[in-house]
Amino acid sequence: MSKMILINLPVRDLAASTAFYVALGGAVNPQFSGANSTSLMFTDAIGVMLLTHDQYREFTQREIGDARRHSQSMFALTVDDRDAVDVTLARAVAAGGRADPNPAQDLGFMYNRHIEDPDGYVWEMVWMNASANA
């Protein structure tokens, strides 16, 4: 079995968060989705599991933090070209996200912008010209 990255996120509104992550480029995996969770795949190896707070609490005894107030992590997704950064952000904003909670970065060979999901988790959309550093 090949390695995978699975990110589990507690969310306040499962339907709203699911719409946001579909707009971000995730595909719902109905096999692992239900009334209290949505499984989304971004690639064959990268997935995000959205869990209601009640469902998430079944996996931890720690308090669920407030991502709107505290930065705990930042996730990055690459896209195929520079324009896809802005297009993806526009789709995610239309689905309830907030654009640019952090400044955009344009280094010529790399361009990135950030999008905040309905719960405050920040995702970085990144395009990199890999041949620029070759």
Side-chain angles (χ1 to χ4, degrees):
M1 180 176 166
S2 63
K3 302 281 186 207
M4 296 179 72
I5 295 174
L6 302 171
I7 300 168
N8 296 287
L9 298 174
V11 299
R12 290 174 179 87
D13 182 332
L14 186 60
S17 292
T18 298
F20 172 85
Y21 283 94
V22 167
L24 201 60
V28 174
N29 179 350
Q31 181 180 2
F32 297 107
S33 299
N36 296 311
S37 63
T38 302
S39 172
L40 298 116
M41 297 304 297
F42 285 85
T43 71
D44 290 341
I46 301 171
V48 173
M49 182 67 113
L50 305 175
L51 303 158
T52 63
H53 281 210
D54 287 341
Q55 183 74 33
Y56 189 87
R57 283 187 189 99
E58 292 184 16
F59 299 101
T60 185
Q61 294 188 10
R62 290 182 171 190
E63 182 180 345
I64 296 173
D66 185 349
R68 292 177 181 152
R69 295 183 41 207
H70 303 99
S71 180
Q72 300 163 336
S73 60
M74 190 180 322
F75 308 104
L77 288 172
T78 60
V79 293
D80 293 333
D81 58 57
R82 181 185 172 92
D83 291 338
V85 170
D86 296 325
V87 168
T88 303
L89 249 70
R91 277 197 324 260
V93 166
R98 184 173 71 91
D100 303 314
N102 299 318
Q105 186 176 36
D106 187 349
L107 301 175
F109 68 93
M110 181 176 85
Y111 175 61
N112 67 343
R113 290 180 65 194
H114 299 89
I115 183 77
E116 183 178 308
D117 83 354
D119 285 276
Y121 301 108
V122 177
W123 288 79
E124 179 180 28
M125 302 307 301
V126 181
W127 166 79
M128 294 180 287
N129 181 354
S131 63
N133 291 331

